[in-house]
């Protein structure tokens, strides 16, 4: 067992494009989504302890339950059930909650994924990626992709994953206007559920090819979310005003992203938006590139 306290990043999950392509008989929606993960996110610290403990700090700590309903606790217990009580002694888990809650960037799922990966190391378990992904799926449809945390296309209910090779790091600004959006409400408000899937990806990736590809894609949840929470429209407007090359809502909202050509331009844009809306969540960051891909854009 790893005796030292260690920290894992729980990155924000950004749906660059999200097409709703159908609905299963059980009510789950079928999706096709190009997803990236950012270097900004929550942080999870784990260390051995005399009894299980879970605590939360950070800007959004007050929005997070610390009882058994939290996905962090559910992840710990799911892994414990799989590995057995003897091999999974007590741990202290501290979550630094930097991402807004229920905001379309997969915060809770990413936290759960970081905990699963961190506990495998801390407890010294021999559990491979496929098995960890299976455990993750029992916690939520987004957890397997958060375990991957690399550029990917997700299909089905979000559980059929294809990694995208050679995808570069992108300079992004994330903006959340401080409103919560209920995912079920957004899906219930959809007028059409059998939309076309994603177009073929570009043959080569750079800022321009990604932006041009995004122009012919959609987030099918955006119109419904914006009708429920009009401030989403203002977030997109401020991103465009700050020089975003492409702006869109992520997931079911309300977090929006802007794509920028360089990290410095993104930082200046974030500062401009922050000056107009100091109470909003605004973060300039970079996405995590594919393995072996150029980290610059």
């Amino acid at each position: 067992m790893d005796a030292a306290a260690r920290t894992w990043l729980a990155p924000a999950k950004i749906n660059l494009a999200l097409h709703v392509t159908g609905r299963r008989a059980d009510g789950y929606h079928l999706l096709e989504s190009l997803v990236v993960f950012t270097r900004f996110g929550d942080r999870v610290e784990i260390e051995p302890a005399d009894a299980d403990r879970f605590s939360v700090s950070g800007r959004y700590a007050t929005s997070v339950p610390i009882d058994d309903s939290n996905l962090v606790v559910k992840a710990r217990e799911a892994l414990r059930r799989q590995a057995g009580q003897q091999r999974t002694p007590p741990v202290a888990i501290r979550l630094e909650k930097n991402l807004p809650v229920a905001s379309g960037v997969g915060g809770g799922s990413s936290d759960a994924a970081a905990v699963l990966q961190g506990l495998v190391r801390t407890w010294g378990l021999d559990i491979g990626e496929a098995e960890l992904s299976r455990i993750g799926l029992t916690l939520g449809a987004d957890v397997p992709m958060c375990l991957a945390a690399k550029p990917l296309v997700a299909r089905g209910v979000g559980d059929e994953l294809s990694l995208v090779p050679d995808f570069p790091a992108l300079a992004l600004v994330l903006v959340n206007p401080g409103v919560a959006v209920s995912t079920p409400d957004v899906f219930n408000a959809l007028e059409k559920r059998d939309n076309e899937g994603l177009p073929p990806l570009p043959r080569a990736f750079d800022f321009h090819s990604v932006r041009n590809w995004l122009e012919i894609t959609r987030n099918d949840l955006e119109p419904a979310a914006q009708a429920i929470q009009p401030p989403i429209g203002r977030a997109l407007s401020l991103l465009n005003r700050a020089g975003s090359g492409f702006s869109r809502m992520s997931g079911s909202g309300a977090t929006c992203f802007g794509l920028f050509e360089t990290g410095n331009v993104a930082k200046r844009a974030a500062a401009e938006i922050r000056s107009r809306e100091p109470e909003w969540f605004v973060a300039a960051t970079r996405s995590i590139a594919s393995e072996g891909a150029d980290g610059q854009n």
Side-chain angles (χ1 to χ4, degrees), residues 6 48 64 100 118 123 179:
R6 292 190 55 189
V64 177
W123 283 333
V179 295

Side-chain angles (χ1 to χ4, degrees), residues 4-297:
R6 292 190 55 189
T7 302
W8 279 264
L9 173 68
K13 172 186 70 70
I14 306 299
N15 300 92
L16 294 179
L18 195 164
H19 292 197
V20 179
T21 57
R23 193 178 194 178
R24 296 196 316 200
D26 60 8
Y28 278 98
H29 286 81
L30 300 173
L31 312 170
E32 287 193 14
S33 183
L34 175 62
V35 181
V36 295
F37 296 82
T38 69
R39 297 187 181 282
F40 181 89
D42 296 339
R43 294 194 169 272
V44 173
E45 185 183 86
I46 302 173
E47 68 178 332
D50 52 359
D52 282 327
R53 290 194 291 275
F54 174 49
S55 58
V56 187
S57 63
R59 179 176 177 181
Y60 296 100
T62 55
S63 306
V64 177
I66 55 171
D67 59 12
D68 292 353
S69 69
N70 193 292
L71 274 178
V72 164
V73 178
K74 289 182 176 180
R76 183 193 68 201
E77 293 311 303
L79 194 55
R80 184 170 273 153
R81 281 193 300 275
Q82 178 68 25
Q85 200 80 26
Q86 293 298 315
R87 302 173 63 200
T88 56
V91 285
I93 302 175
R94 288 179 283 275
L95 171 63
E96 183 181 291
K97 194 67 189 165
N98 302 316
L99 294 168
V101 174
S103 65
V105 293
S109 297
S110 194
D111 295 342
V115 166
L116 288 175
Q117 289 169 326
L119 286 176
V120 165
R121 290 288 297 274
T122 301
W123 283 333
L125 302 176
D126 183 21
I127 292 181
E129 287 182 12
E131 180 67 6
L132 206 57
S133 186
R134 187 194 63 74
I135 296 168
L137 189 57
T138 68
L139 301 168
D142 282 355
V143 178
M145 70 177 84
C146 291
L147 283 164
K150 293 281 191 299
L152 56 85
V153 172
R155 294 184 176 87
V157 295
D159 57 334
E160 300 168 26
L161 308 179
S162 306
L163 292 178
V164 178
D166 304 319
F167 201 89
L170 301 173
L172 300 169
V173 174
L174 310 182
V175 177
N176 186 290
V179 295
V181 184
S182 159
T183 299
D185 287 354
V186 172
F187 276 105
N188 288 337
L190 288 178
E191 292 181 7
K192 191 167 183 281
R193 293 179 168 82
D194 54 346
N195 304 292
E196 286 184 15
L198 295 176
L201 292 170
R203 282 196 289 270
F205 297 108
D206 59 20
F207 169 83
H208 299 287
S209 68
V210 171
R211 181 188 61 190
N212 292 344
W213 183 85
L214 288 174
E215 295 281 3
I216 59 169
T217 66
R218 311 176 303 276
N219 179 348
D220 287 329
L221 305 183
E222 191 175 303
Q226 206 171 143
I228 294 168
Q229 287 289 10
I232 292 168
R234 174 155 169 79
L236 291 166
S237 171
L238 286 184
L239 280 163
N240 290 333
R241 195 163 156 184
S244 167
F246 182 87
S247 307
R248 176 171 281 164
M249 187 185 83
S250 176
S252 56
T255 303
C256 300
F257 68 87
L259 177 63
F260 292 82
E261 196 152 3
T262 70
N264 285 337
V265 175
K267 286 174 188 170
R268 285 197 295 273
E272 180 183 324
I273 296 168
R274 215 175 277 119
S275 71
R276 295 180 187 279
E277 294 288 351
E279 299 302 311
W280 284 12
F281 166 82
V282 182
T285 184
R286 297 180 75 77
S287 66
I288 298 167
S290 304
E291 294 285 351
D294 181 7
Q296 304 300 313
N297 64 320

